[in-house]
Amino acid sequence: MIHSLSDVQTDAIGKDTFVWQFTVILKGAVIGDNCNINCNCFIENDVIIGSNVTLKSGVQVWDGLRIEDNVFVGPNVTFTNDLIPRSKVRLGFKKTVLKKGCSIGANSTIIAGIEIGEKALIGAGSVLTKSVSPYTVWYGNPAIHRGYITEESIILTIDLIDSKTGDKYFLENFKPVKND
């Protein structure tokens, strides 16, 4: 469904993707299946968005951004694509990659040229200035590594302990696995 009050210039939008009102999507953008692009979003040309992605209201997706499947981008998340921005001068856009299943909390700022690892969680209001590993939890300004997150979305301490149950985990190929 594409809302009649949106401006969608691309034909490359997958099946069952919803585009809400007051959203602009430029001609070169590619968007997968079953996405939810909320109102007041802007998506530039050199953008690839996978399937099952949610972009909440007020998100601008600039040239060079790659969003893999099952990614959540909270309201008013800000992406950059130019480390030395100047009016009317283009020194080259940096590629930013959001890996499968990662989540970015509301009002976060993501600096250009980094990669957010698979299933990583960036807390609301964070300023992320560097690439982060899969299954890690980051927040703050600047964002720092605060813990880990499991496949089941259990938040662990930096020491890989579930603070609610006391269960201990270890890392296996970047993924937290419960000690049995």
Side-chain angles (χ1 to χ4, degrees):
M1 181 204 106
I2 297 175
H3 196 283
S4 63
L5 294 177
S6 63
D7 178 5
V8 177
Q9 301 168 18
T10 185
D11 292 326
I13 295 182
K15 184 178 135 201
D16 297 325
T17 287
F18 286 82
V19 178
W20 297 101
Q21 65 270 30
F22 313 120
T23 288
V24 175
I25 303 174
L26 298 184
K27 187 175 184 175
V30 176
I31 300 172
D33 296 334
N34 197 40
C35 293
N36 190 17
I37 313 297
N38 280 223
C39 62
N40 298 310
C41 290
F42 178 79
I43 300 173
E44 260 189 324
N45 284 296
D46 182 20
V47 170
I48 299 173
I49 297 175
S51 295
N52 304 309
V53 170
T54 297
L55 297 182
K56 298 303 273 183
S57 299
V59 174
Q60 295 87 40
V61 181
W62 306 113
D63 285 337
L65 195 62
R66 304 294 184 257
I67 301 175
E68 294 185 0
D69 296 344
N70 304 307
V71 169
F72 174 86
V73 180
N76 301 304
V77 166
T78 298
F79 294 99
T80 67
N81 67 352
D82 191 344
L83 295 176
I84 307 173
R86 297 286 185 249
S87 181
K88 309 291 183 186
V89 176
R90 299 283 184 253
L91 299 175
F93 295 126
K94 299 288 183 184
K95 299 277 188 219
T96 299
V97 179
L98 309 184
K99 300 299 273 184
K100 182 179 176 184
C102 71
S103 294
I104 304 171
N107 295 309
S108 293
T109 298
I110 310 301
I111 301 302
I114 65 174
E115 181 175 290
I116 298 176
E118 184 176 338
K119 294 281 187 159
L121 176 64
I122 311 304
S126 296
V127 177
L128 191 63
T129 61
K130 59 186 172 184
S131 294
V132 301
S133 297
Y135 296 93
T136 55
V137 175
W138 293 71
Y139 55 90
N141 181 4
I144 61 174
H145 184 199
R146 309 283 183 145
Y148 295 87
I149 188 164
T150 69
E151 192 71 41
E152 301 77 26
S153 298
I154 298 169
I155 302 290
L156 306 175
T157 67
I158 199 76
D159 298 320
L160 294 161
I161 297 171
D162 179 343
S163 57
K164 291 181 181 176
T165 65
D167 291 339
K168 295 179 182 179
Y169 290 72
F170 65 95
L171 292 180
E172 184 175 282
N173 296 324
F174 295 105
K175 187 186 290 190
V177 177
K178 191 173 179 179
N179 279 337
D180 288 327

mmCIF file of all heavy atoms in Angstrom, residues 57-81:
data_model
loop_
_atom_site.group_PDB
_atom_site.id
_atom_site.type_symbol
_atom_site.label_atom_id
_atom_site.label_comp_id
_atom_site.label_asym_id
_atom_site.label_seq_id
_atom_site.Cartn_x
_atom_site.Cartn_y
_atom_site.Cartn_z
ATOM 1 N N SER A 57 8.530 7.107 12.037
ATOM 2 C CA SER A 57 8.340 8.474 11.532
ATOM 3 C C SER A 57 9.582 9.340 11.681
ATOM 4 O O SER A 57 10.322 9.232 12.653
ATOM 5 C CB SER A 57 7.185 9.141 12.277
ATOM 6 O OG SER A 57 5.990 8.430 12.056
ATOM 7 N N GLY A 58 9.785 10.206 10.681
ATOM 8 C CA GLY A 58 10.830 11.213 10.755
ATOM 9 C C GLY A 58 12.229 10.730 10.426
ATOM 10 O O GLY A 58 13.205 11.412 10.739
ATOM 11 N N VAL A 59 12.364 9.586 9.784
ATOM 12 C CA VAL A 59 13.686 9.045 9.445
ATOM 13 C C VAL A 59 14.044 9.453 8.017
ATOM 14 O O VAL A 59 13.236 9.290 7.107
ATOM 15 C CB VAL A 59 13.719 7.510 9.586
ATOM 16 C CG1 VAL A 59 15.045 6.932 9.104
ATOM 17 C CG2 VAL A 59 13.445 7.105 11.024
ATOM 18 N N GLN A 60 15.254 9.983 7.837
ATOM 19 C CA GLN A 60 15.771 10.284 6.507
ATOM 20 C C GLN A 60 16.894 9.298 6.204
ATOM 21 O O GLN A 60 17.817 9.152 7.000
ATOM 22 C CB GLN A 60 16.309 11.718 6.408
ATOM 23 C CG GLN A 60 15.252 12.784 6.570
ATOM 24 C CD GLN A 60 15.028 13.157 8.018
ATOM 25 O OE1 GLN A 60 15.970 13.255 8.783
ATOM 26 N NE2 GLN A 60 13.785 13.346 8.395
ATOM 27 N N VAL A 61 16.787 8.638 5.050
ATOM 28 C CA VAL A 61 17.757 7.625 4.656
ATOM 29 C C VAL A 61 18.517 8.175 3.449
ATOM 30 O O VAL A 61 17.971 8.276 2.355
ATOM 31 C CB VAL A 61 17.054 6.290 4.329
ATOM 32 C CG1 VAL A 61 18.070 5.230 3.947
ATOM 33 C CG2 VAL A 61 16.211 5.823 5.515
ATOM 34 N N TRP A 62 19.776 8.534 3.658
ATOM 35 C CA TRP A 62 20.571 9.235 2.657
ATOM 36 C C TRP A 62 21.351 8.273 1.763
ATOM 37 O O TRP A 62 21.555 7.114 2.120
ATOM 38 C CB TRP A 62 21.536 10.209 3.342
ATOM 39 C CG TRP A 62 20.842 11.149 4.265
ATOM 40 C CD1 TRP A 62 20.961 11.193 5.633
ATOM 41 C CD2 TRP A 62 19.895 12.174 3.932
ATOM 42 N NE1 TRP A 62 20.160 12.169 6.161
ATOM 43 C CE2 TRP A 62 19.486 12.792 5.128
ATOM 44 C CE3 TRP A 62 19.350 12.628 2.731
ATOM 45 C CZ2 TRP A 62 18.574 13.845 5.159
ATOM 46 C CZ3 TRP A 62 18.434 13.668 2.767
ATOM 47 C CH2 TRP A 62 18.064 14.265 3.969
ATOM 48 N N ASP A 63 21.810 8.788 0.629
ATOM 49 C CA ASP A 63 22.619 8.002 -0.310
ATOM 50 C C ASP A 63 23.735 7.259 0.422
ATOM 51 O O ASP A 63 24.401 7.829 1.294
ATOM 52 C CB ASP A 63 23.248 8.908 -1.368
ATOM 53 C CG ASP A 63 22.257 9.371 -2.422
ATOM 54 O OD1 ASP A 63 21.227 8.702 -2.613
ATOM 55 O OD2 ASP A 63 22.523 10.407 -3.066
ATOM 56 N N GLY A 64 23.925 5.999 0.066
ATOM 57 C CA GLY A 64 25.002 5.194 0.638
ATOM 58 C C GLY A 64 24.572 4.291 1.773
ATOM 59 O O GLY A 64 25.372 3.499 2.275
ATOM 60 N N LEU A 65 23.321 4.371 2.199
ATOM 61 C CA LEU A 65 22.872 3.539 3.316
ATOM 62 C C LEU A 65 22.362 2.200 2.799
ATOM 63 O O LEU A 65 21.605 2.133 1.821
ATOM 64 C CB LEU A 65 21.769 4.239 4.105
ATOM 65 C CG LEU A 65 21.450 3.656 5.471
ATOM 66 C CD1 LEU A 65 22.658 3.735 6.401
ATOM 67 C CD2 LEU A 65 20.299 4.394 6.110
ATOM 68 N N ARG A 66 22.809 1.122 3.453
ATOM 69 C CA ARG A 66 22.372 -0.236 3.152
ATOM 70 C C ARG A 66 21.751 -0.813 4.408
ATOM 71 O O ARG A 66 22.408 -0.888 5.450
ATOM 72 C CB ARG A 66 23.546 -1.118 2.711
ATOM 73 C CG ARG A 66 24.313 -0.581 1.515
ATOM 74 C CD ARG A 66 23.441 -0.580 0.251
ATOM 75 N NE ARG A 66 24.163 -0.156 -0.923
ATOM 76 C CZ ARG A 66 24.052 1.051 -1.470
ATOM 77 N NH1 ARG A 66 23.289 1.973 -0.919
ATOM 78 N NH2 ARG A 66 24.716 1.352 -2.576
ATOM 79 N N ILE A 67 20.483 -1.188 4.310
ATOM 80 C CA ILE A 67 19.754 -1.732 5.448
ATOM 81 C C ILE A 67 19.359 -3.160 5.106
ATOM 82 O O ILE A 67 18.595 -3.389 4.163
ATOM 83 C CB ILE A 67 18.503 -0.884 5.765
ATOM 84 C CG1 ILE A 67 18.904 0.572 6.070
ATOM 85 C CG2 ILE A 67 17.732 -1.494 6.932
ATOM 86 C CD1 ILE A 67 17.721 1.505 6.284
ATOM 87 N N GLU A 68 19.869 -4.123 5.856
ATOM 88 C CA GLU A 68 19.553 -5.529 5.606
ATOM 89 C C GLU A 68 18.184 -5.889 6.194
ATOM 90 O O GLU A 68 17.505 -5.039 6.778
ATOM 91 C CB GLU A 68 20.667 -6.414 6.154
ATOM 92 C CG GLU A 68 21.980 -6.218 5.406
ATOM 93 C CD GLU A 68 23.089 -7.163 5.838
ATOM 94 O OE1 GLU A 68 22.874 -8.003 6.738
ATOM 95 O OE2 GLU A 68 24.187 -7.064 5.253
ATOM 96 N N ASP A 69 17.788 -7.147 6.073
ATOM 97 C CA ASP A 69 16.480 -7.625 6.508
ATOM 98 C C ASP A 69 16.278 -7.501 8.018
ATOM 99 O O ASP A 69 17.228 -7.596 8.803
ATOM 100 C CB ASP A 69 16.300 -9.103 6.132
ATOM 101 C CG ASP A 69 16.300 -9.342 4.637
ATOM 102 O OD1 ASP A 69 16.138 -8.384 3.854
ATOM 103 O OD2 ASP A 69 16.469 -10.515 4.242
ATOM 104 N N ASN A 70 15.009 -7.335 8.401
ATOM 105 C CA ASN A 70 14.564 -7.397 9.800
ATOM 106 C C ASN A 70 15.167 -6.314 10.692
ATOM 107 O O ASN A 70 15.341 -6.524 11.889
ATOM 108 C CB ASN A 70 14.841 -8.785 10.397
ATOM 109 C CG ASN A 70 14.197 -9.878 9.594
ATOM 110 O OD1 ASN A 70 13.000 -9.847 9.318
ATOM 111 N ND2 ASN A 70 14.995 -10.843 9.168
ATOM 112 N N VAL A 71 15.454 -5.162 10.130
ATOM 113 C CA VAL A 71 16.031 -4.048 10.886
ATOM 114 C C VAL A 71 14.922 -3.117 11.363
ATOM 115 O O VAL A 71 13.953 -2.856 10.642
ATOM 116 C CB VAL A 71 17.059 -3.284 10.020
ATOM 117 C CG1 VAL A 71 17.487 -1.975 10.675
ATOM 118 C CG2 VAL A 71 18.268 -4.167 9.739
ATOM 119 N N PHE A 72 15.081 -2.602 12.585
ATOM 120 C CA PHE A 72 14.163 -1.600 13.149
ATOM 121 C C PHE A 72 14.923 -0.295 13.311
ATOM 122 O O PHE A 72 15.999 -0.265 13.921
ATOM 123 C CB PHE A 72 13.630 -2.059 14.513
ATOM 124 C CG PHE A 72 12.800 -1.011 15.192
ATOM 125 C CD1 PHE A 72 11.444 -0.901 14.904
ATOM 126 C CD2 PHE A 72 13.363 -0.133 16.097
ATOM 127 C CE1 PHE A 72 10.681 0.081 15.520
ATOM 128 C CE2 PHE A 72 12.604 0.849 16.718
ATOM 129 C CZ PHE A 72 11.251 0.955 16.428
ATOM 130 N N VAL A 73 14.349 0.793 12.768
ATOM 131 C CA VAL A 73 14.921 2.135 12.919
ATOM 132 C C VAL A 73 13.857 2.995 13.585
ATOM 133 O O VAL A 73 12.794 3.249 13.009
ATOM 134 C CB VAL A 73 15.342 2.728 11.555
ATOM 135 C CG1 VAL A 73 15.921 4.121 11.743
ATOM 136 C CG2 VAL A 73 16.352 1.812 10.853
ATOM 137 N N GLY A 74 14.145 3.437 14.816
ATOM 138 C CA GLY A 74 13.173 4.181 15.610
ATOM 139 C C GLY A 74 12.902 5.579 15.095
ATOM 140 O O GLY A 74 13.583 6.085 14.197
ATOM 141 N N PRO A 75 11.897 6.244 15.680
ATOM 142 C CA PRO A 75 11.504 7.566 15.235
ATOM 143 C C PRO A 75 12.653 8.572 15.311
ATOM 144 O O PRO A 75 13.419 8.587 16.283
ATOM 145 C CB PRO A 75 10.389 7.977 16.187
ATOM 146 C CG PRO A 75 10.070 6.799 17.013
ATOM 147 C CD PRO A 75 11.116 5.770 16.815
ATOM 148 N N ASN A 76 12.753 9.384 14.276
ATOM 149 C CA ASN A 76 13.696 10.499 14.216
ATOM 150 C C ASN A 76 15.163 10.104 14.332
ATOM 151 O O ASN A 76 15.996 10.921 14.729
ATOM 152 C CB ASN A 76 13.343 11.560 15.262
ATOM 153 C CG ASN A 76 11.950 12.094 15.037
ATOM 154 O OD1 ASN A 76 11.632 12.572 13.953
ATOM 155 N ND2 ASN A 76 11.099 11.963 16.028
ATOM 156 N N VAL A 77 15.493 8.864 13.982
ATOM 157 C CA VAL A 77 16.908 8.485 13.904
ATOM 158 C C VAL A 77 17.527 9.296 12.770
ATOM 159 O O VAL A 77 16.928 9.477 11.710
ATOM 160 C CB VAL A 77 17.067 6.968 13.650
ATOM 161 C CG1 VAL A 77 18.496 6.616 13.239
ATOM 162 C CG2 VAL A 77 16.662 6.190 14.900
ATOM 163 N N THR A 78 18.732 9.800 13.004
ATOM 164 C CA THR A 78 19.435 10.620 12.018
ATOM 165 C C THR A 78 20.659 9.884 11.510
ATOM 166 O O THR A 78 21.504 9.458 12.300
ATOM 167 C CB THR A 78 19.863 11.963 12.645
ATOM 168 O OG1 THR A 78 18.683 12.663 13.044
ATOM 169 C CG2 THR A 78 20.648 12.803 11.665
ATOM 170 N N PHE A 79 20.735 9.743 10.196
ATOM 171 C CA PHE A 79 21.909 9.168 9.543
ATOM 172 C C PHE A 79 22.679 10.296 8.869
ATOM 173 O O PHE A 79 22.090 11.283 8.437
ATOM 174 C CB PHE A 79 21.495 8.150 8.471
ATOM 175 C CG PHE A 79 20.820 6.939 9.026
ATOM 176 C CD1 PHE A 79 19.438 6.836 9.016
ATOM 177 C CD2 PHE A 79 21.551 5.895 9.566
ATOM 178 C CE1 PHE A 79 18.799 5.721 9.529
ATOM 179 C CE2 PHE A 79 20.926 4.779 10.087
ATOM 180 C CZ PHE A 79 19.550 4.691 10.070
ATOM 181 N N THR A 80 24.001 10.144 8.796
ATOM 182 C CA THR A 80 24.807 11.069 8.006
ATOM 183 C C THR A 80 25.471 10.257 6.900
ATOM 184 O O THR A 80 25.574 9.036 6.992
ATOM 185 C CB THR A 80 25.876 11.784 8.860
ATOM 186 O OG1 THR A 80 26.844 10.823 9.298
ATOM 187 C CG2 THR A 80 25.248 12.462 10.074
ATOM 188 N N ASN A 81 25.925 10.935 5.847
ATOM 189 C CA ASN A 81 26.629 10.209 4.791
ATOM 190 C C ASN A 81 27.862 10.957 4.294
ATOM 191 O O ASN A 81 28.505 10.540 3.352
ATOM 192 C CB ASN A 81 25.693 9.880 3.624
ATOM 193 C CG ASN A 81 25.213 11.089 2.863
ATOM 194 O OD1 ASN A 81 25.439 12.226 3.258
ATOM 195 N ND2 ASN A 81 24.523 10.842 1.768
#
